[in-house]
Amino acid sequence: MTDGQRLFVGGSWVEPDGGHYEVSDPATEEVVGWAPEASRDQAHAACAAAREAFGPWSRTAPEERAAVLGRAADIIRSRLVPYAELAQAETGATTGTARGMQVGVAAARFRRYARVEPAEWAIPPQVNEAGPMGRAAVMGALAVRQPVGVVTCITSYNNPWANPAGKIAPALAMGNTVVVKPAPQDPLSVYRMAEALEAAGVPRGVVNVVSGRSVEVGEAVVDSPDVDMVSFTGSTAVGQRIAEVCGRGMKRQLMELGGKGAAVVLDDADLASAVAGIGTTFSFYSGQICTAPTRVLVQRGLYERLVEQLAGYAGRLKVGDPREPDTVVGPVISAAHRERVESYVELGRKEGAVVVAGAERPMPDRGFYIGPTLLAGCSPDMRVVREEIFGPVVTVTPFDDEEEGIALANDSDYGLIDYVWSVDVARAFRVARRLRAGGVGVNTVGRNMEAPFGGFRKSGVGRDCGSYALHAYSEVQSIVWPG
């Protein structure tokens, strides 16, 4: 249990003006610790501290910044077990997920941006031999990447380690300073990350962390005049409100928002592979992930077999205490979110979907558990097909031919990551190129962490991961001189 966590502002650990609130374990409903409730003034003070630190940090040699990130990676890796135990207690993640996909990925991301090569942000010099008004002239031009400035990082509750690390590490590598506003459900892990960065030698004010349940804390770290950029991961609705504030201040944005990933299963698909990939919606973060293939579109010849095999797959997954080694599906984050997901399942039933898995699964006495749920016989106009549920729920809709499958996949407000299954790789790539999504998995739900990540439409703005994150947290400046 973590007692009375303090805010991290300007290199100091500060008592919160708003006191503390309980953080609960979604698996047991027991108190994990007490998180600080910052005031608006404290949030603005964090932004001001980041502004003051920006100048010196941005002028630090890239090698020195990389050394700090490398030490942070080593510290996080050395504390993997206790950090993962805290993450598990806050999120309800299984042990393997907490260690590997949360803390382990966070350490890897700090390590990745400690190894930045100059070529990743270098832009070749340009020479223009046509002067103004056609007069002969030679003008040299150099384009360089400059840090944006102060970056507010607002992070999601489903992964309080990998998600913040994916923002903080590239932002710091490029010479920015950051103010982190973690999700109110599980902020304690982010404070441990701040401790690791402090121990790694990050200068005062370069990293700041403020938390709270009130809307005003989030608003303050967005509307502060000291903030140059907001990097947000969360719902589309909240992202739209943040974008409005950023627009008034002409602030740079990086938005990773909602998803309703289409899984297009063509009639020549390897069914076992498709079922295993789609089934990760049930198990990975208990479906609380924007990249999940939640919206299955299957060519009619495979429809009945796919539904049958997915239902069997769901029924074999153990739901329960995430600390038990054989548990596959842990709880969702809160009682309120469980009610929300369950209301969608009931809505689907009323809309005419058939619940073929999930309705009869016994649940543990305590904790916010939902059984893996499969809704078959869905039509494209159903709300359960069109809206993000963010839980272990999969909908299945049949289609007749390839053109219809592509049209259905693209008929969405979202466009984060879609998926295609076909043993004909050329066919799968042809379909993938026509999907309106920021990413497409062909016969896989795996990701290449160097590939650009982000969405079309209401799934977000901008791209990160790999070198693309360095671009996201930088501005391009041109310097021109006579040749």
Side-chain angles (χ1 to χ4, degrees):
M1 182 178 293
T2 302
D3 295 326
Q5 176 65 56
R6 291 176 292 172
L7 308 169
F8 189 55
V9 178
S12 298
W13 295 94
V14 180
E15 289 295 332
D17 289 343
H20 294 83
Y21 66 92
E22 291 183 354
V23 176
S24 299
D25 185 336
T28 65
E29 303 182 48
E30 296 176 353
V31 176
V32 176
W34 285 266
E37 183 79 52
S39 65
R40 180 177 178 83
D41 287 345
Q42 288 180 312
H44 275 175
C47 299
R51 169 60 60 199
E52 184 177 353
F54 169 65
W57 178 251
S58 66
R59 293 190 294 271
T60 301
E63 294 79 10
E64 293 182 41
R65 300 197 295 263
V68 172
L69 297 178
R71 289 193 295 270
D74 292 340
I75 291 168
I76 292 170
R77 176 61 64 181
S78 71
R79 301 174 184 175
L80 186 147
V81 172
Y83 282 171
E85 288 175 350
L86 176 60
Q88 186 173 48
E90 287 192 286
T91 65
T94 61
T95 300
T97 296
R99 293 186 181 185
M101 299 306 298
Q102 294 192 357
V103 181
V105 169
R109 285 182 169 174
F110 278 105
R111 176 61 58 196
R112 161 65 178 86
Y113 293 104
R115 294 196 302 261
V116 171
E117 296 293 332
E120 291 191 74
W121 68 68
I123 303 172
Q126 304 293 319
V127 175
N128 175 21
E129 297 192 9
M133 306 298 293
R135 292 193 297 271
V138 176
M139 298 294 291
L142 176 66
V144 297
R145 292 195 179 275
Q146 297 275 18
V148 177
V150 175
V151 179
T152 286
C153 303
I154 303 178
T155 64
S156 59
Y157 72 72
N158 59 349
N159 196 325
W161 280 93
N163 185 263
K167 299 178 185 297
I168 296 169
L172 296 188
M174 284 303 304
N176 302 283
T177 56
V178 299
V179 178
V180 187
K181 165 62 173 67
Q185 298 92 334
D186 49 11
L188 301 178
S189 289
V190 180
Y191 285 105
R192 301 290 80 74
M193 188 181 298
E195 288 179 354
L197 283 160
E198 183 183 33
V202 68
R204 295 172 64 87
V206 170
V207 174
N208 306 270
V209 183
V210 292
S211 59
R213 296 171 297 178
S214 67
V215 174
E216 70 173 10
V217 178
E219 290 178 342
V221 295
V222 173
D223 67 24
S224 166
D226 289 309
V227 170
D228 300 293
M229 174 179 174
V230 176
S231 176
F232 171 72
T233 300
S235 72
T236 296
V238 174
Q240 289 171 323
R241 293 199 294 272
I242 291 173
E244 290 173 1
V245 177
C246 288
R248 291 195 293 271
M250 296 302 293
K251 299 180 181 184
R252 193 180 184 92
Q253 304 165 47
L254 178 61
M255 298 279 186
E256 183 204 330
L257 307 178
K260 192 70 177 180
V264 181
V265 183
L266 299 170
D267 55 7
D268 63 345
D270 180 331
L271 211 51
S273 173
V275 167
I278 295 164
T280 60
T281 301
F282 301 135
S283 55
F284 194 44
Y285 298 131
S286 300
Q288 300 168 113
I289 183 166
C290 52
T291 59
T294 59
R295 183 169 55 111
V296 178
L297 308 171
V298 56
Q299 204 154 0
R300 202 171 296 275
L302 287 183
Y303 174 79
E304 291 186 2
R305 289 171 57 200
L306 180 71
V307 170
E308 180 183 6
Q309 291 189 28
L310 264 178
Y313 185 98
R316 291 190 294 272
L317 301 178
K318 179 186 174 182
V319 177
D321 185 348
R323 294 167 180 83
E324 295 182 2
D326 58 342
T327 293
V328 179
V329 183
V332 294
I333 193 67
S334 66
H337 191 56
R338 177 177 60 185
E339 291 174 7
R340 178 182 183 276
V341 175
E342 288 175 342
S343 72
Y344 266 106
V345 175
E346 183 57 30
L347 173 64
R349 197 193 307 267
K350 290 178 180 177
E351 289 180 315
V354 179
V355 182
V356 295
E360 303 301 325
R361 180 178 293 278
M363 295 292 111
D365 294 335
R366 293 176 63 81
F368 311 125
Y369 295 92
I370 300 172
T373 303
L374 182 65
L375 303 178
C378 296
S379 60
D381 59 338
M382 290 180 178
R383 285 180 59 193
V384 289
V385 175
R386 303 197 67 83
E387 298 176 13
E388 185 177 38
I389 298 173
F390 218 61
V393 180
V394 171
T395 67
V396 186
T397 302
F399 65 87
D400 289 314
D401 57 33
E402 188 176 299
E403 288 298 319
E404 184 186 9
I406 294 169
L408 290 176
N410 289 335
D411 182 19
S412 175
D413 290 336
Y414 299 103
L416 188 55
I417 296 187
D418 287 344
Y419 305 88
V420 181
W421 270 274
S422 170
V423 296
D424 183 340
V425 175
R427 182 189 188 194
F429 269 79
R430 182 177 70 242
V431 171
R433 290 292 299 272
R434 294 182 60 190
L435 298 181
R436 299 293 294 167
V440 182
V442 172
N443 295 321
T444 183
V445 292
R447 283 181 53 201
N448 182 323
M449 299 309 295
E450 290 297 308
F453 179 73
F456 289 14
R457 297 188 294 268
K458 291 183 180 180
S459 284
V461 177
R463 297 293 183 271
D464 64 2
C465 286
S467 299
Y468 299 91
L470 300 173
H471 302 170
Y473 293 101
S474 64
E475 295 279 13
V476 177
Q477 178 188 63
S478 63
I479 302 173
V480 179
W481 65 92

